[in-house]
Amino acid sequence: MPYILQFLLVVLLAVLACIKVTIQGFASRNHIRTTLDSVWFNALLFTVITVFLVILFPMGEINGTLVFYAALMTLTTVVFQVCYTIALNSGPVSLTVLIGNFHVLITTTFSCVVLGEKLYLTQMVGIALLVTSMFLGSQSKPDEKKATRRWLLLTLLCMSCSATFGIGQKLFLATPESKLPNAQATELAVSYALAAVAGFIIYFINSRRSGEKSPLGLKKPVILYALGIGLSLCVYQRLNVYALSVVEGTFQFPTYAGLQSLGMTLVGIVLFKDKLTRRQQLSVVCGILCVVLMNLRMGPCI
């Protein structure tokens, strides 16, 4: 695939991700109040995504390899969601987001070292600028909770789950089974179906222990938010799997991270009238330079 088409594909992924995060942000602010609410909403969301995948894309044969990688996706998704929610509530939010985003370094290194994908000097500088942008964009607040060993363990687990998710997808796409008709869409559908079941089990166990139920239920606004997020995430995941099969991870992972960061900054300015500090402005500049350098592919490579 020509480089310009690879870049446009990653841009589209970043746009879809920003749409998803924006809608989910409104849902969280307006309806999700407790961890139980979050678990219920995610279980409902996983169900909606499964339904969209089955409706929008033809399904193929289910085999052992497909189920294994789908289960790996499910495990990392569910563990990430649970740990991320607890980490955000028990420690410094800015550091939780920062450390969680470092998964891009793991997936990029894996693509280079294990899969043998090329990483050029300009791209290495771009990745360094991405990390710089992450640090500059991470600002702690006076009322943030203090870091603890438990919080750090949960945050590192979140980072590991995100990295494992991306690596698992790359490994699945390297198997002969992934080349079977409609295998990629089927793997996603099985994964989200398993995640939905796991989500509801976790919800009912916690609900029974606490003696409480989430007031969200199947209220109309909750369903509408789930449909909006589910549709954008369904299309995103299907497109992402395709991108992983035609675009090198050494380019896709860091470029996507840089574009999504810039996109969310733009959303904050346009929708929420955010005022950028000098530090955040430097973060944006580093993010833009990262995206530019990731596209140059110049100099020595490894």
Side-chain angles (χ1 to χ4, degrees):
M1 176 182 288
Y3 287 154
I4 184 62
L5 292 182
Q6 292 182 25
F7 176 66
L8 291 176
L9 184 56
V10 178
V11 169
L12 182 55
L13 284 171
V15 170
L16 288 170
C18 289
I19 291 172
K20 176 259 180 186
V21 172
T22 302
I23 299 174
Q24 194 159 13
F26 281 117
S28 297
R29 279 189 292 271
N30 295 331
H31 297 282
I32 298 175
R33 300 286 180 266
T34 66
T35 301
L36 204 59
D37 289 344
S38 179
V39 173
W40 172 261
F41 185 77
N42 277 296
L44 185 62
L45 178 60
F46 294 152
T47 303
V48 170
I49 295 171
T50 304
V51 173
F52 273 132
L53 284 167
V54 172
I55 292 175
L56 296 178
F57 304 104
M59 295 290 106
E61 174 188 343
I62 297 177
N63 52 63
T65 300
L66 186 147
V67 171
F68 171 79
Y69 282 103
L72 179 63
M73 277 183 60
T74 299
L75 179 64
T76 54
T77 299
V78 172
V79 173
F80 172 84
Q81 291 292 349
V82 172
C83 292
Y84 198 61
T85 300
I86 298 173
L88 288 173
N89 291 330
S90 62
V93 174
S94 57
L95 286 179
T96 302
V97 175
L98 176 64
I99 295 173
N101 285 338
F102 282 158
H103 69 85
V104 67
L105 301 179
I106 302 175
T107 50
T108 303
T109 301
F110 177 86
S111 297
C112 180
V113 176
V114 179
L115 300 181
E117 297 176 354
K118 292 181 179 180
L119 188 64
Y120 292 84
L121 178 61
T122 49
Q123 294 176 315
M124 296 178 203
V125 177
I127 292 171
L129 286 168
L130 174 63
V131 174
T132 303
S133 176
M134 289 177 179
F135 274 108
L136 291 172
S138 175
Q139 289 187 303
S140 60
K141 297 179 181 179
D143 59 344
E144 282 192 333
K145 297 179 181 179
K146 293 183 179 180
T148 63
R149 289 183 180 179
R150 176 173 177 267
W151 162 83
L152 180 60
L153 178 62
L154 289 169
T155 305
L156 291 175
L157 192 54
C158 290
M159 180 185 69
S160 301
C161 284
S162 294
T164 303
F165 185 94
I167 290 171
Q169 285 294 76
K170 292 289 283 186
L171 290 175
F172 171 68
L173 292 170
T175 65
E177 287 80 3
S178 70
K179 308 300 187 294
L180 296 173
N182 307 313
Q184 297 173 10
T186 306
E187 188 239 5
L188 287 172
V190 172
S191 171
Y192 277 106
L194 292 173
V197 172
F200 283 120
I201 290 174
I202 293 172
Y203 170 79
F204 286 117
I205 290 175
N206 281 278
S207 178
R208 171 167 287 189
R209 284 179 179 175
S210 64
E212 299 177 356
K213 292 183 179 181
S214 171
L216 298 182
L218 297 177
K219 294 179 180 178
K220 184 176 179 180
V222 174
I223 295 296
L224 291 177
Y225 274 122
L227 289 173
I229 299 168
L231 180 59
S232 59
L233 195 53
C234 167
V235 177
Y236 166 86
Q237 289 290 13
R238 185 64 189 92
L239 195 62
N240 183 56
V241 172
Y242 171 71
L244 288 170
S245 67
V246 296
V247 181
E248 291 190 341
T250 49
F251 171 74
Q252 180 178 341
F253 291 125
T255 304
Y256 167 79
L259 286 169
Q260 188 192 21
S261 177
L262 292 172
M264 290 312 302
T265 300
L266 182 61
V267 168
I269 294 172
V270 174
L271 292 184
F272 304 107
K273 311 301 179 185
D274 290 347
K275 301 291 184 181
L276 299 184
T277 63
R278 190 62 169 267
R279 182 184 172 109
Q280 289 171 320
Q281 290 172 358
L282 288 174
S283 172
V284 170
V285 172
C286 288
I288 293 172
L289 290 174
C290 161
V291 173
V292 172
L293 288 171
M294 288 305 301
N295 281 276
L296 291 182
R297 293 179 171 93
M298 296 171 59
C301 65
I302 56 175

